[in-house]
Amino acid sequence: MSTATAPEHADIVEAARALEARYGTPWSTPLPAWNETLDTLLAHRSVRNYADRPLPAGTLETLIAAAQSASTSSNLQTWSVVAVENPARKARLAELAGGQSHVREAPLFLVWLADLARLEAAGARSSASVEGLHYIETLFVGVIDAALAAQNAVVALESLGMSGVYIGGIRNQPEQVAAELGLPPRVLPVFGLCVGYPDETQPAQVKPRLPQAVVLHREQYDAPSQVAEIAQYDEVMGGFQTTQGLSAAGWTSRSLARWRSRESLHGRDRLRDALNALGFELR
Amino acid sequence: MSTATAPEHADIVEAARALEARYGTPWSTPLPAWNETLDTLLAHRSVRNYADRPLPAGTLETLIAAAQSASTSSNLQTWSVVAVENPARKARLAELAGGQSHVREAPLFLVWLADLARLEAAGARSSASVEGLHYIETLFVGVIDAALAAQNAVVALESLGMSGVYIGGIRNQPEQVAAELGLPPRVLPVFGLCVGYPDETQPAQVKPRLPQAVVLHREQYDAPSQVAEIAQYDEVMGGFQTTQGLSAAGWTSRSLARWRSRESLHGRDRLRDALNALGFELR
């Protein structure tokens, strides 16, 4: 593990470049330190085009070791992951996720699961009561555990020169995904993750994020000061969209389109019914 | 960003040591590569004892830049974070989280939020319908966004020689936490995160996790083969608990105790009511 040291000049140049790409605006806050891990984190981009290059043996095990190193609530480890490499299964999952061809094309597709079945089964073996598993809190723990684990895997794979993209579309039809993966009751597919080497002929760009002043609050939540900063970000995103060949709609209007109606959730408006069908009581 | 290269001998030694600490058993899978970022990820431990040492200027901004570099569903960025340094507020949050003194003692306490209010407010400014925000799916997006962001911050702070611990107890009394932080409706405190330099006189140990065969499934979920592996892990955890001065109860029985009854959720059995009170309809 590296320790905090004043950054070298080359690090400062690299850091400033990374931060300006991340926000699409100049960065002015002095930094305490910089390192290779921060480079990896800041350089993240979602990649949907992969090189025709297999993953080296041991890659999956390395990613899972990183994932398992993330925090987990009370060490309950209420998550699992299914690694899918079979082309036919990847193709079926690609369709279930809304026809996303990169799910089929990635050499490895990981489906991250909130897994309450493992401890439930252990309880059954020892005739223990598992009343707590029926509460929405316990499902939240599983979803959060899965997300922390998956993000560690993403950092690990990007540190190894690979890329990926999360697939929230795995929640479009959770019961069908559960059937495809042979999931027992009380296991929820939370999201997918495509993994592969990036196709360097179609490089993905770092997407600018909201200004820090919008997401970072000091001591208490500050709503009023977000308004002007969001307007500025709409300008930044408009410029970014233009470089991507998209109309310069900005952030606000494109984001609001996702929430406009029940239909704009693309079937995920029925997630509560799907959770019930998968055995979650949501008490 | 580093690229995949065959690991050097020193890296192999370091990797094997890290993996054996993580699992409490020998590691036999050949690795494709190793690097400083993997070192940081594998070395994670939850730290509750902090040195009396302030965080350097610019630390918070660096952590937030890392957090914002994580993936976010459709770039909606449905999360925020409140940075708490005020001693009196930290003390109140420590009590609300179940009397956890490390919340008070950490120089920085971050409360990570699923934030549906920001886009709701933008919708109100442009008279747009935001029907989609009322679905449980949308709350899940916010919780997952917050978790991915927070985990990137954890990796960043550990790469800088700092440590932390997640505080799920922030969900014990969500309405009171929301009042303390001045949160608008439709903003959920998901968890807290203590940040500080570790007290090297009270070092925390890496906690062994379940064998990979238990959490990693190939092509389809495999329940039967978990049984023997969990029994082996109970032995490993019993040994670890002994080194920590705890009774060697293993993993299964301690974990089942958390689910035994409604009461064992320590008040979080009422999370659904709290969500409703905070303005989440959970359609």
Side-chain angles (χ1 to χ4, degrees):
Chain A
M1 189 166 17
S2 51
T3 53
T5 50
E8 304 281 334
H9 179 71
D11 286 345
I12 294 172
V13 171
E14 181 66 34
R17 189 180 295 129
L19 288 158
E20 293 184 17
R22 178 54 65 202
Y23 292 103
T25 54
W27 177 268
S28 56
T29 306
L31 299 171
W34 200 254
N35 60 43
E36 186 177 300
T37 299
L38 294 171
D39 267 345
T40 294
L41 292 170
L42 265 288
H44 166 75
R45 59 211 80 183
S46 292
V47 170
R48 295 176 178 80
N49 295 296
Y50 307 103
D52 182 18
R53 177 180 170 192
L55 305 180
T59 297
L60 178 59
E61 291 83 354
T62 304
L63 302 186
I64 300 308
Q68 291 194 265
S69 298
S71 289
T72 153
S73 182
S74 302
N75 199 35
L76 295 183
Q77 305 176 70
T78 50
W79 65 275
S80 281
V81 62
V82 182
V84 179
E85 297 178 278
N86 179 287
R89 180 167 286 114
K90 279 191 296 176
R92 291 192 295 270
L93 290 168
E95 287 311 303
L96 288 172
Q100 301 198 46
S101 59
H102 36 282
V103 172
R104 193 177 61 240
E105 291 159 6
L108 174 64
F109 185 60
L110 299 174
V111 184
W112 299 86
L113 309 170
D115 184 350
L116 308 186
R118 178 161 51 235
L119 198 50
E120 181 185 25
R125 289 195 293 276
S126 61
S127 302
S129 164
V130 291
E131 185 185 6
L133 91 77
H134 299 296
Y135 289 82
I136 197 168
E137 157 67 15
T138 307
L139 176 58
F140 268 49
V141 166
V143 169
I144 294 166
D145 268 10
L148 301 182
Q151 186 56 22
N152 257 20
V154 166
V155 175
L157 72 89
E158 293 185 347
S159 82
L160 292 167
M162 301 166 198
S163 292
V165 61
Y166 283 108
I167 305 295
I170 218 71
R171 295 192 303 279
N172 289 6
Q173 303 176 69
E175 300 100 316
Q176 287 84 342
V177 171
E180 176 64 45
L181 301 179
L183 306 183
R186 283 166 288 285
V187 178
L188 173 70
V190 180
F191 45 67
L193 178 68
C194 300
V195 182
Y197 285 102
D199 177 358
E200 302 292 1
T201 69
Q202 303 179 69
Q205 301 303 309
V206 167
K207 188 178 287 183
R209 297 286 195 235
L210 285 162
Q212 287 209 347
V214 176
V215 303
L216 171 60
H217 308 260
R218 308 278 185 148
E219 300 298 334
Q220 289 203 308
Y221 191 95
D222 177 7
S225 75
Q226 297 183 31
V227 179
E229 298 274 357
I230 290 174
Q232 183 201 333
Y233 179 59
D234 277 327
E235 296 291 321
V236 169
M237 277 303 290
F240 179 77
Q241 288 156 344
T242 301
T243 69
Q244 303 296 300
L246 303 169
S247 68
W251 177 76
T252 302
S253 68
R254 286 181 71 97
S255 297
L256 284 170
R258 309 281 307 191
W259 282 10
R260 184 181 298 136
S261 65
R262 176 173 188 159
E263 289 69 33
S264 60
L265 295 181
H266 298 295
R268 290 186 228 164
D269 55 296
R270 56 173 299 285
L271 182 62
R272 193 174 72 177
D273 290 344
L275 289 168
N276 291 151
L278 292 172
F280 297 98
E281 295 184 15
L282 306 178
R283 283 185 203 164
Chain B
M1 189 167 12
S2 52
T3 52
T5 50
E8 304 280 335
H9 179 71
D11 286 343
I12 294 171
V13 172
E14 181 66 34
R17 189 180 296 129
L19 289 159
E20 293 184 17
R22 179 53 65 203
Y23 293 104
T25 53
W27 177 268
S28 56
T29 306
L31 299 171
W34 201 254
N35 60 42
E36 186 177 299
T37 298
L38 294 171
D39 267 344
T40 294
L41 293 170
L42 266 289
H44 167 75
R45 59 211 80 182
S46 292
V47 170
R48 295 175 177 80
N49 296 298
Y50 307 103
D52 182 17
R53 177 179 169 192
L55 305 181
T59 296
L60 177 59
E61 292 82 355
T62 303
L63 302 186
I64 300 308
Q68 291 193 265
S69 298
S71 289
T72 153
S73 183
S74 302
N75 199 35
L76 295 182
Q77 305 176 69
T78 50
W79 65 276
S80 281
V81 62
V82 182
V84 179
E85 297 177 278
N86 178 287
R89 179 167 287 113
K90 279 192 296 176
R92 290 192 295 271
L93 290 168
E95 286 311 303
L96 288 173
Q100 300 197 48
S101 59
H102 36 282
V103 173
R104 193 176 62 239
E105 291 159 8
L108 174 64
F109 185 60
L110 299 175
V111 184
W112 298 85
L113 310 170
D115 184 350
L116 307 186
R118 178 160 54 233
L119 198 50
E120 181 186 24
R125 290 195 293 277
S126 61
S127 302
S129 163
V130 291
E131 185 185 4
L133 90 77
H134 299 296
Y135 289 82
I136 197 169
E137 157 68 14
T138 307
L139 175 58
F140 268 48
V141 166
V143 169
I144 294 166
D145 268 10
L148 300 182
Q151 186 56 23
N152 257 20
V154 166
V155 175
L157 70 90
E158 293 185 349
S159 82
L160 293 167
M162 301 167 197
S163 292
V165 61
Y166 283 108
I167 306 295
I170 218 72
R171 295 192 303 278
N172 289 6
Q173 302 175 71
E175 300 101 315
Q176 288 85 341
V177 171
E180 176 64 46
L181 301 179
L183 305 185
R186 282 166 289 283
V187 178
L188 173 71
V190 180
F191 44 67
L193 178 69
C194 300
V195 182
Y197 285 101
D199 177 359
E200 301 291 1
T201 70
Q202 303 179 71
Q205 300 304 309
V206 168
K207 189 178 285 182
R209 297 287 194 234
L210 285 162
Q212 287 209 348
V214 176
V215 303
L216 172 60
H217 308 260
R218 309 277 185 149
E219 300 298 333
Q220 290 203 307
Y221 191 94
D222 177 9
S225 75
Q226 298 184 29
V227 179
E229 299 274 357
I230 289 173
Q232 183 201 333
Y233 179 60
D234 278 327
E235 296 292 321
V236 170
M237 276 304 290
F240 178 79
Q241 288 156 344
T242 301
T243 69
Q244 303 297 299
L246 303 169
S247 69
W251 177 76
T252 303
S253 68
R254 286 181 71 96
S255 297
L256 284 170
R258 310 281 306 189
W259 282 9
R260 185 180 300 135
S261 65
R262 177 174 187 157
E263 289 69 33
S264 60
L265 295 181
H266 299 297
R268 291 186 228 164
D269 55 297
R270 56 173 300 285
L271 181 62
R272 194 174 72 176
D273 290 343
L275 289 169
N276 290 153
L278 293 172
F280 298 98
E281 294 184 16
L282 306 177
R283 283 186 204 164

